[in-house]
Amino acid sequence: QKEVEQDPGPLSVPEGAIVSLNCTYSNSAFQYFMWYRQYSRKGPELLMYTYSSGNKEDGRFTAQVDKSSKYISLFIRDSQPSDSATYLCAMSEAYMRFGAGTRLTVKP
Amino acid sequence: NAGVTQTPKFQVLKTGQSMTLQCAQDMNHNSMYWYRQDPGMGLRLIYYSASEGTTDKGEVPNGYNVSRLNKREFSLRLESAAPSQTSVYFCASSEGPQGYYEQYFGPGTRLTVT
C-alpha cells in the first residue's frame, strides 16, 4: 500500500465548476501538507501549504486537512481553463512524499 | 533570477552508459533535492542535500550517486544506466529543511534508457 493515495483521474469539468481533489495517507507522522500544481512538461509549483487540521483559503483555492481521517482536499471555486494542470498532493515528516497527481481539464 | 536550472533537457542513453545530470540554483538556498517522476508513481525523492557538504538518501537511491559541488550546484550521476531509470528527473531547492519550506523545482530532464 502506498503511503499517499491520490486518484489520477483524469477529471474534466466545465468552466465555472467547483473542483474537489483529494488524497488519503497512512502515515500519522506526516505533519505538513501541500498541494502543487504542474503544467504539462513543467516542474511543479507550490499552490497551498498547511500544517494543522482545518481549512486554509487563498483566493479561489481552499485546502482542507482532516488528520483524524488522514484525508486532505483541495477545492477550486469558479474553475478556469488556466487551472487545467496536474495537481499533486504532498506531505512530509523526514522527507516529502507525493501523490501520483490528478490531471484536471477545465473546458471553456 | 533563473531559479533552478537543469541540463540537459533531454537525453537518450544505452543500457550500461553513464551520465551526470546537472542542477544549479541562484536563490542562495541551503537545501537541494533530486526527484524522479514516473506515471502513476508521482514524484519520488532520490537524494537530498540539507546543506552544503551533506547528502542523504531518499526513497529510491539505488543506482544513483550525487555530489553537492557547492551551495549552488547539485549533480546526479547514473553510473550504469538501466531501462528502469527511464523517467523525468526534477531538481528542486528550498531555503531550509524540506517540509518546512517551499521547494522550487527546475524544468526537468527527460531521460530514456534503451
Side-chain angles (χ1 to χ4, degrees), chain A residues 30 91-97, chain B residues 45 48 57-59 98:
Chain A
F30 289 141
M91 43 204 80
S92 71
E93 34 107 15
Y95 54 83
M96 296 273 282
R97 313 293 205 286
Chain B
L45 184 65
Y48 66 99
K57 295 178 181 179
E59 186 180 356
Q98 58 182 314

Side-chain angles (χ1 to χ4, degrees), chain B residues 9-81:
Chain B
K9 287 187 167 50
F10 302 93
Q11 184 71 49
V12 178
L13 289 178
K14 292 188 186 330
T15 298
Q17 287 185 320
S18 62
M19 78 162 295
T20 299
L21 281 65
Q22 307 285 355
C23 173
Q25 53 90 8
D26 63 2
M27 295 173 282
N28 201 35
H29 284 171
N30 291 307
S31 301
M32 297 185 73
Y33 315 87
W34 276 105
Y35 291 90
R36 59 178 290 174
Q37 187 173 36
D38 303 293
M41 300 294 293
L43 284 157
R44 291 181 292 169
L45 184 65
I46 303 171
Y47 271 93
Y48 66 99
S49 171
S51 61
E52 187 178 355
T54 69
T55 60
D56 285 288
K57 295 178 181 179
E59 186 180 356
V60 289
N62 291 347
Y64 305 95
N65 284 301
V66 291
S67 295
R68 183 76 182 265
L69 303 169
N70 48 54
K71 193 172 185 179
R72 289 188 64 247
E73 298 172 290
F74 189 38
S75 64
L76 178 72
R77 183 159 178 85
L78 287 69
E79 290 291 352
S80 178

Side-chain angles (χ1 to χ4, degrees), chain A residues 2-8 22-25 30 33-36 38 44 72 86-92 96-103, chain B residues 35-45 59:
Chain A
K2 293 180 187 175
E3 280 188 291
V4 180
E5 297 278 1
Q6 183 175 11
D7 186 339
N22 310 295
C23 287
T24 58
Y25 63 95
F30 289 141
F33 304 89
M34 289 139 274
W35 286 95
Y36 280 81
Q38 185 176 22
I72 70 170
T86 297
Y87 290 80
L88 304 159
C89 63
M91 43 204 80
S92 71
M96 296 273 282
R97 313 293 205 286
F98 285 82
T102 299
R103 181 176 294 180
Chain B
Y35 291 90
R36 59 178 290 174
Q37 187 173 36
D38 303 293
M41 300 294 293
L43 284 157
R44 291 181 292 169
L45 184 65
E59 186 180 356

